[in-house]
Amino acid sequence: YAIIGIIVLLVMVFGGYLLAGGKLAIILKSLPFEMIMIGGAALGAFLIGNDGAGAKHTLKDVGKVFKGPKWKQEDYRDLLCLLFELIRIAKQNPVALEEHIEAPGESAIFSKYPKIQADKESVDLICDTLRAATMNYDDPHQVEEVLEKRMEASLHHKLHSSHALRSEARRVGKDGVIKTMGSIDQPPEVLGKMIGGALVGTFLGVFLAYGLVGPFAARVKTVVEDDAHFHQLIREVLVANLHAHPTNICIEVGRQNTPTHIRPDFNDLEEAL
């Protein structure tokens, strides 16, 4: 959809410009110089405002615009199956659970779900919470509060790239006007060309800001928030377990709290379990 959107954007904006009698040669002539100023200013400001890790994080996250969320509906089903097995063991034989949460990389249960096993953040969240459950907390809300703060911090960090792109979208755009105002005493034919060039620069800046960079920032934010539901599902199920609900109830609590578009079907989940 991102690729289709970019194609529609280019065709509609520049196609409409040509149909209205505009000359593409004017834009092409100004494009290299304006892009040096606009793009260079945006890149420089981005590097000043971010450290090396933040810059790499943002560039990596741009790929999410085209890839979409990491976790698909079948991954949520697999996660519920994984949690079902772990909780069932925890209730039947807590000692047998230790080998799975202390060495998840070697666990026979985790190895059934390689995509989840390869995600360190998800595995750590599961193992740390199950480990906390063995400490016999008097109040399960203590664990729930710790999980909530942990996930809020993680989401805030992951949204950094979206905030950085939004900042760049607000920066790009208006360099050519300065040069024009400095030549206001020139003849109309000279001044007209300079005003045209300035407006081309403004047009390109607005086009990049509102047509590409801004939507990229919004899409990255949406993808990050969609993927955050995966960890929220872990929290819902394991907190329900801390409240001593039966295993199948814990799993259903997690399933019901998953957004509709990624929620596993009840019958499919039953069959998988």
Side-chain angles (χ1 to χ4, degrees), residues 116-158:
I116 299 174
Q117 188 181 37
D119 187 72
K120 187 177 185 301
E121 184 176 1
S122 297
V123 171
D124 286 348
L125 188 62
I126 294 170
C127 295
D128 290 348
T129 308
L130 287 173
R131 195 178 294 114
T134 64
M135 299 177 184
N136 297 320
Y137 272 81
D138 294 329
D139 184 5
H141 294 291
Q142 292 176 307
V143 180
E144 187 174 5
E145 185 178 355
V146 170
L147 284 174
E148 188 67 32
K149 290 181 178 179
R150 176 175 177 171
M151 292 170 62
E152 284 180 2
S154 175
L155 181 60
H156 178 76
H157 172 71
K158 290 176 180 177

Side-chain angles (χ1 to χ4, degrees), residues 243-255:
H243 285 281
H245 294 305
T247 305
N248 61 328
I249 297 299
C250 296
I251 299 304
E252 184 59 17
V253 167
R255 194 187 76 85

Side-chain angles (χ1 to χ4, degrees), residues 185-228:
D185 58 342
Q186 297 296 316
E189 59 273 14
V190 176
L191 190 60
K193 290 181 179 180
M194 297 187 72
I195 291 174
L199 293 177
V200 167
T202 303
F203 161 72
L204 290 174
V206 172
F207 174 77
L208 289 173
Y210 294 100
L212 291 176
V213 183
F216 270 45
R219 177 60 178 162
V220 169
K221 181 175 184 289
T222 299
V223 171
V224 168
E225 290 176 342
D226 275 354
D227 279 338

Side-chain angles (χ1 to χ4, degrees), residues 30-211:
S30 302
L31 185 62
F33 311 105
E34 296 295 341
M35 288 305 297
I36 289 174
M37 290 188 288
I38 297 170
L43 179 60
F46 173 76
L47 293 175
I48 292 170
N50 296 274
D51 58 14
K56 290 179 181 178
H57 182 202
T58 303
L59 293 175
K60 181 180 178 181
D61 277 3
V62 169
K64 293 181 178 179
V65 175
F66 303 98
K67 294 179 181 177
K70 174 181 179 180
W71 303 110
K72 312 301 180 185
Q73 189 176 42
E74 57 269 23
D75 297 320
Y76 284 83
R77 181 200 61 207
D78 289 346
L79 176 61
L80 289 171
C81 290
L82 169 63
L83 294 173
F84 178 84
E85 291 195 67
L86 293 173
I87 292 173
R88 185 172 58 179
I89 291 176
K91 290 181 182 296
Q92 294 175 352
N93 185 3
V95 176
L97 180 67
E98 290 186 10
E99 65 177 281
H100 300 290
I101 62 176
E102 296 301 333
E106 302 170 7
S107 166
I109 295 178
F110 276 97
S111 62
K112 296 178 184 178
Y113 313 99
K115 185 175 179 180
I116 299 174
Q117 188 181 37
D119 187 72
K120 187 177 185 301
E121 184 176 1
S122 297
V123 171
D124 286 348
L125 188 62
I126 294 170
C127 295
D128 290 348
T129 308
L130 287 173
R131 195 178 294 114
T134 64
M135 299 177 184
N136 297 320
Y137 272 81
D138 294 329
D139 184 5
H141 294 291
Q142 292 176 307
V143 180
E144 187 174 5
E145 185 178 355
V146 170
L147 284 174
E148 188 67 32
K149 290 181 178 179
R150 176 175 177 171
M151 292 170 62
E152 284 180 2
S154 175
L155 181 60
H156 178 76
H157 172 71
K158 290 176 180 177
L159 286 174
H160 170 79
S161 53
S162 175
H163 297 320
L165 288 172
R166 284 188 184 277
S167 298
E168 293 311 303
R170 289 193 292 266
R171 285 191 186 111
V172 295
K174 300 166 186 172
D175 302 297
V177 177
I178 299 173
K179 182 180 178 183
T180 303
M181 293 299 102
S183 306
I184 198 71
D185 58 342
Q186 297 296 316
E189 59 273 14
V190 176
L191 190 60
K193 290 181 179 180
M194 297 187 72
I195 291 174
L199 293 177
V200 167
T202 303
F203 161 72
L204 290 174
V206 172
F207 174 77
L208 289 173
Y210 294 100

Side-chain angles (χ1 to χ4, degrees), residues 3-22:
I3 294 173
I4 293 173
I6 291 173
I7 293 172
V8 170
L9 175 71
L10 294 173
V11 171
M12 293 300 176
V13 171
F14 290 100
Y17 171 76
L18 291 173
L19 290 173

